[in-house]
Amino acid sequence: MQEVIVHEGPRIAFVGSPIPKPGPNQIVIKVNVAGCNPKDYKTYWFPEPLNQGNDVAGYVHEVGSNVTEFKVGDAVFALHEIGSAHGAHAEYCLTWAYTTAHLPKGVSMEEAATIPLSATSAALSLYRGLQLPAPWQSPTKLPCPLLIYGASSAVGAFAVKLALLSKIHPIIAISGPSGASLLSGLLEPAQGDILLNYQDYSSTSSLVAEIGKACPQPLYGAVDAISADQSPKVVLAALDALSGSTNEPRLVTLLPYPEDLLAQTKKAIKPYLTVVGDVHNGRDSKAGGQDFGHVMIRLFARWLGEGRFSGHPFEVREGGLKGVQGALDDLKDGK
């Protein structure tokens, strides 16, 4: 089979590889759609070049000896384990059965392939990082102001969708002007949700003041789906000023915050770093990370089928695997 290996640049190379064989609890998927994410061009995160694809949708080609939930020919979508061999940018991809789900009827593979990595990251952020009630638990009785910076990004938008399913309000969503069309169709202004365009504010303090106006209670916590550029300053300032005197500031980030910024806060803010690999063999694997991944991918599939959840806007690149280079270049350029 052909697969794409990503080198520094990013620069892709096509290599011929054997079709992978599944372990007892694994599945080989014949790839129909593979997603590209910003992490895919960041080759410096990994010790050597590899197939960076993690979001996949396609048809089951072969199952391991312990797999009973899936059979050959099933339409599925899945989260491939980050950093492992046989990723999604190939003709065949190897996944774990517990982070694979059946594709609901009426849902395209393109839409499904936008979900696994980013939606799982959002779920980890809300339910493990911020310890908010999940949609199957009793909602909060009081308003629970939640700040989501980068709310129109894939992880940010999925955080908004999951917070809505959990009946978390008000959501204070921060985005650039391009995110307005997406977020205006999701947020519930009647529940106090608000969308703020960060470009409308000349200073951090003025943006924080506007965030404060949307908080009927102390700010519960924040998800920083950008974790770079100006977002750490804004999020830390908001938590410092608005989280209340008795609340421990709760913060989830996708990248580590600079230590010098954390040292400048008045309150002791200890960010929870979301690592999507925790659902495979990451730091939380002994504390239920695999179970969390198993549950969430199946709930995404169920909610998709019920119309309660949706994927992220996407662009299809022509040329199959040849389209990976252009997609990675555009992601690096922020397009």
Side-chain angles (χ1 to χ4, degrees):
M1 71 170 186
Q2 288 287 304
E3 66 176 325
V4 168
I5 303 299
V6 181
H7 297 261
E8 184 178 357
R11 175 181 59 83
I12 69 168
F14 291 93
V15 299
S17 303
I19 296 175
K21 299 295 292 183
N25 299 302
Q26 294 178 312
I27 295 174
V28 176
I29 298 173
K30 182 174 176 57
V31 179
N32 186 275
V33 178
C36 286
N37 292 282
K39 61 151 277 297
D40 297 349
Y41 70 81
K42 298 173 182 177
T43 55
Y44 48 82
W45 284 4
F46 302 94
E48 59 185 29
L50 77 162
N51 179 337
Q52 293 275 17
N54 302 115
D55 286 329
V56 60
Y59 297 96
V60 174
H61 173 75
E62 187 175 356
V63 300
S65 58
N66 292 341
V67 177
T68 59
E69 188 178 352
F70 305 95
K71 65 182 185 302
V72 173
D74 283 349
V76 296
F77 66 107
L79 174 61
H80 167 77
E81 181 180 351
I82 290 179
S84 67
H86 310 304
H89 295 157
E91 295 178 84
Y92 295 85
C93 174
L94 186 67
T95 68
W96 292 97
Y98 63 86
T99 51
T100 302
H102 290 280
L103 183 74
K105 292 182 179 179
V107 177
S108 72
M109 289 194 177
E110 288 82 1
E111 179 180 10
T114 69
I115 290 171
L117 187 144
S118 294
T120 300
S121 297
L124 286 165
S125 298
L126 294 187
Y127 305 132
R128 294 183 76 104
L130 295 183
Q131 299 182 351
L132 287 162
W136 58 87
Q137 296 175 309
S138 298
T140 58
K141 295 182 179 179
L142 295 174
C144 185
L146 173 64
L147 175 63
I148 301 179
Y149 198 109
S152 63
S153 68
V155 174
F158 282 125
V160 170
K161 294 175 183 179
L162 291 172
L164 291 169
L165 286 172
S166 291
K167 296 180 172 59
I168 300 298
H169 299 286
I171 298 170
I172 301 113
I174 299 181
S175 172
S178 62
S181 59
L182 170 64
L183 294 168
S184 61
L186 296 176
L187 298 172
E188 299 178 7
Q191 299 293 331
D193 299 346
I194 188 171
L195 172 61
L196 301 178
N197 176 2
Y198 69 88
Q199 294 184 7
D200 289 340
Y201 301 89
S202 59
S203 65
T204 296
S205 59
S206 61
L207 178 51
V208 169
E210 199 67 25
I211 295 169
K213 294 178 183 178
C215 294
Q217 299 284 337
L219 186 62
Y220 175 87
V223 175
D224 187 350
I226 303 299
S227 302
D229 302 321
Q230 295 301 309
S231 71
K233 292 182 179 179
V234 173
V235 172
L236 288 175
L239 288 172
D240 229 2
L242 305 172
S243 60
S245 58
T246 60
N247 289 5
E248 178 183 348
R250 299 172 177 88
L251 168 62
V252 171
T253 68
L254 300 187
L255 296 171
Y257 269 18
E259 290 296 332
D260 61 327
L261 285 181
L262 290 169
Q264 295 173 25
T265 60
K266 298 175 183 178
K267 298 176 181 176
I269 300 175
K270 299 177 181 179
Y272 177 95
L273 180 65
T274 291
V275 179
V276 73
D278 288 351
V279 302
H280 287 119
N281 292 312
R283 57 188 173 167
D284 286 348
S285 58
K286 294 182 179 179
Q290 293 183 3
D291 292 340
F292 186 91
H294 175 99
V295 169
M296 291 312 305
I297 192 77
R298 282 154 182 78
L299 282 172
F300 297 151
R302 175 182 170 183
W303 294 335
L304 276 170
E306 295 173 346
R308 301 168 60 197
F309 196 65
S310 61
H312 197 64
F314 59 86
E315 177 184 340
V316 176
R317 293 300 176 97
E318 301 297 330
L321 294 175
K322 294 179 181 178
V324 172
Q325 181 69 66
L328 296 183
D329 289 341
D330 284 351
L331 285 169
K332 185 176 181 180
D333 292 339
K335 298 180 180 178

